[in-house]
């Protein structure tokens, strides 16, 4: 996915050889989408795009711009969870109940933070993912284990 408001959010598909083509667009071009992540959020064998939903649930109010987002099983229950940072609200982890419904979120960063990117990976090789967040106004750091 690429682009920010007011341009269309393009979904770019890899043909398997490292070449990409436009596979469609996502949501309203006026929405300030900065980041998105992909995962099988409903455990249905199909992938969903995790970013601002348009209804404000679960990751921020409808006016929020999601500055960073990642999808991973962060609590070890076998279901892909979402970590998201709505602009000027902080960063949160939203636990997946296994049916694609998410908790209200656990805050792990204060609203003053200006995240620019986030990735979930097993950075310290202990068998579970951590979140690494890069910031506009400060050095990145590992915030959630």
């Amino acid at each position: 996915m690429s682009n920010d408001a007011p341009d269309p959010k393009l979904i770019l598909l890899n043909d398997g050889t490292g070449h990409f083509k436009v596979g469609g667009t996502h949501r309203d071009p006026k929405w300030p989408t900065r980041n998105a992540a992909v995962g099988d959020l409903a455990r249905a064998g199909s992938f969903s795009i995790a970013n601002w939903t348009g209804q404000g649930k679960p990751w921020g109010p409808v006016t929020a711009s999601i500055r960073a987002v990642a999808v991973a099983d962060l609590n070890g229950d076998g279901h892909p969870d979402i970590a998201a940072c709505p602009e000027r609200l902080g960063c949160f982890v939203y636990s997946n109940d296994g049916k694609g419904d998410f908790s209200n979120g656990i805050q792990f960063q204060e609203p003053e933070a200006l995240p620019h990117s986030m990735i979930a990976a097993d950075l310290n090789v202990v068998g579970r993912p951590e979140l690494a967040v890069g910031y506009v106004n400060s050095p990145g750091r590992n915030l959630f284990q």
Side-chain angles (χ1 to χ4, degrees):
M1 179 176 289
S2 68
N3 295 340
D4 197 1
D7 299 319
K9 281 73 173 135
L10 303 177
I11 300 172
L12 305 175
L13 303 176
N14 187 338
D15 68 4
T17 65
H19 296 93
F20 294 84
K21 67 177 184 173
V22 176
T25 59
H26 181 70
R27 307 279 180 165
D28 190 323
K30 294 179 286 200
W31 293 350
T33 304
R34 290 202 171 96
N35 283 285
V38 177
D40 185 3
L41 301 176
R43 308 286 291 174
S46 60
F47 289 92
S48 302
I49 297 171
N51 69 355
W52 181 64
T53 64
Q55 294 91 25
K57 185 84 172 125
W59 33 88
V62 295
T63 57
S65 172
I66 301 302
R67 293 192 60 92
V69 64
V71 173
D73 180 9
L74 298 168
N75 60 8
D77 66 358
H79 308 299
D81 306 305
I82 294 175
C85 302
E87 188 167 13
R88 295 184 180 90
L89 297 175
C91 296
F92 301 83
V93 171
Y94 303 93
S95 298
N96 186 340
D97 69 359
K99 300 174 189 166
D101 293 318
F102 294 85
S103 69
N104 287 329
I106 299 169
Q107 188 168 16
F108 68 90
Q109 185 55 278
E110 298 302 318
E112 296 78 26
L114 290 174
H116 185 68
S117 62
M118 178 169 33
I119 188 169
D122 186 5
L123 300 170
N124 58 4
V125 195
V126 296
R128 67 177 190 267
E130 295 82 37
L131 295 173
V133 183
Y135 293 93
V136 172
N137 57 351
S138 66
R141 59 186 173 150
N142 188 13
L143 292 169
F144 188 84
Q145 297 188 41

